[in-house]
Amino acid sequence: MSVIEPGMVDTELPDHVTDPDASTMMAGLLKDIECLRSTDIAETVAFIGSLPRHVNISELTILPTAQAV
């Protein structure tokens, strides 16, 4: 089993966040940096799925290069 933890992805998620601070932070990131695209995450999932059965990536964090850790 693999866990993929994405950073800021350009999706509709910010439209559904009710916490004002989180909403403001997401809006700022979407405006200020080149965020991940859904295809970036899909390619990561495909990569993990293509690995041999004896290989396990248990946890993977994928961030836009400009997003602070």
Side-chain angles (χ1 to χ4, degrees):
M1 180 171 94
S2 298
V3 175
I4 300 173
E5 300 174 351
M8 192 63 195
V9 182
D10 189 4
T11 67
E12 79 286 344
L13 177 64
D15 298 337
H16 303 284
V17 174
T18 57
D19 179 273
D21 293 333
S23 182
T24 300
M25 180 205 62
M26 286 188 220
L29 282 173
L30 285 169
K31 184 181 70 136
D32 295 339
I33 69 170
E34 182 178 358
C35 294
L36 298 172
R37 298 177 304 273
S38 58
T39 54
D40 298 324
I41 306 305
E43 289 173 6
T44 303
V45 171
F47 168 73
I48 291 172
S50 72
L51 294 171
R53 294 183 59 83
H54 70 279
V55 176
N56 179 36
I57 295 178
S58 61
E59 184 176 352
L60 188 138
T61 302
I62 178 171
L63 299 170
T65 54
Q67 184 176 345
V69 178

